[in-house]
Amino acid sequence: MELRTLRYFVAVAEELHFGRAATRLHMSQPPLSRAIKRLEADIGALLLTRSPTGVTLTPVGTVLLDEARALLDHADRVRLRVGAAAGAAALTVGILGDGTDPGVSRLAAAYRHNHPGIDIRIRDADLTDPTCGLRAGLVDVALTRAPFDETALTVRALRSDPVGVVLRADDPLARRDRLRLADLDDRRWFQFPQGTDPLWQSYWNGGRPREGPVVRAVQECLQAVLWNGTIGLAPFGHSLPAEFTVVPLIDMAPSRVVAVWNEGDTNALVRSFVETAGVSYRH
């Protein structure tokens, strides 16, 4: 029973879909299916029940999933301890947005527990680079929000948050229970500096060109709202001062929290970080 095959099985068991698991593993579906069938033959029992819409775990598969996760975690710890013995191991993490997100707190606690002695370096990114310096080689892995250009990057979704419009509390629209993007057409919106990822800019502008002040950081956005009545979008779940209100947008796609790293990166610290993040953000 190879560790690689167990990683394949864990991916299918977590995604409950061969296609999504193959995408996550950066491989085509046929060899993934063959690997799982060989694993079932080695064990002598079905691990998954297949259907046109996906798969479900059998009782044997549920047991193997727990054991496989534990075994893979142990293998990663062995690899990291050996690496640390050969020289100081470090991981640089880029974080975009609110570092007080409960998901970040759970991830930090779990990762410290799993990898004591690893030097974790944090780079707090501004709103102009949704990859937090990943393309420039400034970080090993990033916790950020999609969408952005994913060329040569690997992205794993961790959570989706509803989005609302940030308004000054005395704004007439702040009294509404919900809004549509069309209700904001006559307002000035935040803009990011020239050269910012166009997919990122388009999403936070509600999918169409807007006019308004250029901002780089969350505090600049809030000050633009406070002083000039500028509006912008923000995910729910972040506490704001009493001067501000967030009204739900009913026709805005949710904001996806994602972990992102360079395609083909085999760094065990990065892989362990992403797997831990997947668990931490599910709670």
Side-chain angles (χ1 to χ4, degrees):
M1 194 180 301
E2 297 181 353
L3 292 179
R4 180 177 61 180
T5 305
L6 289 180
R7 291 192 192 280
Y8 290 173
F9 168 73
V10 169
V12 176
E14 290 180 346
E15 299 293 341
L16 294 178
H17 193 278
F18 275 92
R20 290 194 297 269
T23 299
R24 171 173 156 183
L25 294 164
H26 309 291
M27 63 188 298
S28 60
Q29 189 170 332
L32 175 59
S33 298
R34 289 194 294 270
I36 299 302
K37 287 180 179 178
R38 285 196 299 271
L39 180 61
E40 290 176 322
D42 289 344
I43 292 174
L46 282 177
L47 302 172
L48 304 162
T49 301
R50 283 83 164 166
S51 75
T53 58
V55 299
T56 56
L57 285 167
T58 66
V60 177
T62 300
V63 172
L64 181 61
L65 178 59
D66 289 340
E67 296 296 335
R69 282 171 171 163
L71 183 58
L72 292 172
D73 285 345
H74 180 71
D76 283 340
R77 286 196 295 272
V78 169
R79 188 179 295 108
L80 293 172
R81 288 186 64 188
V82 171
L91 183 74
T92 302
V93 180
I95 296 180
L96 180 78
D98 188 359
T100 63
D101 186 315
V104 175
S105 302
R106 289 191 295 267
L107 170 56
Y111 200 75
R112 287 197 312 269
H113 174 76
N114 292 338
H115 305 295
I118 299 299
D119 183 15
I120 308 297
R121 303 163 186 171
I122 302 299
R123 181 176 188 266
D124 191 11
D126 63 28
L127 299 174
T128 65
D129 179 12
T131 70
C132 306
L134 189 62
R135 293 191 187 281
L138 301 177
V139 301
D140 300 305
V141 63
L143 287 173
T144 184
R145 289 183 179 272
F148 47 80
D149 179 8
E150 298 181 8
T151 303
L153 301 176
T154 302
V155 177
R156 179 168 178 183
L158 302 175
R159 191 185 68 212
S160 291
D161 297 327
V163 172
V165 56
V166 181
L167 301 164
R168 204 164 52 202
D170 61 359
D171 191 305
L173 291 178
R175 296 193 292 268
R176 302 270 291 274
D177 292 332
R178 62 192 68 185
L179 291 167
R180 294 181 178 274
L181 289 168
D183 296 324
L184 310 171
D185 282 348
D186 61 345
R187 297 300 190 95
R188 287 167 59 79
W189 291 55
F190 305 137
Q191 303 297 306
F192 301 129
Q194 187 173 4
T196 299
D197 187 301
L199 291 175
W200 173 255
Q201 175 78 73
S202 177
Y203 176 84
W204 293 110
N205 274 179
R208 52 164 285 190
R210 310 280 183 175
E211 293 184 356
V214 174
V215 297
R216 292 178 174 272
V218 171
Q219 283 303 315
E220 291 180 12
C221 298
L222 295 179
Q223 292 302 318
V225 173
L226 188 64
W227 289 89
N228 300 315
T230 306
I231 64 99
L233 308 185
F236 276 83
H238 302 280
S239 39
L240 293 174
E243 296 90 343
F244 304 97
T245 297
V246 182
V247 179
L249 278 171
I250 62 175
D251 55 350
M252 183 71 189
S255 170
R256 291 186 299 126
V257 180
V258 299
V260 55
W261 64 103
N262 285 308
E263 189 174 81
D265 190 341
T266 58
N267 186 333
L269 284 172
V270 170
R271 184 170 61 250
S272 177
F273 181 91
V274 173
E275 294 302 321
T276 306
V279 174
S280 300
Y281 275 82
R282 281 201 297 269
H283 290 95

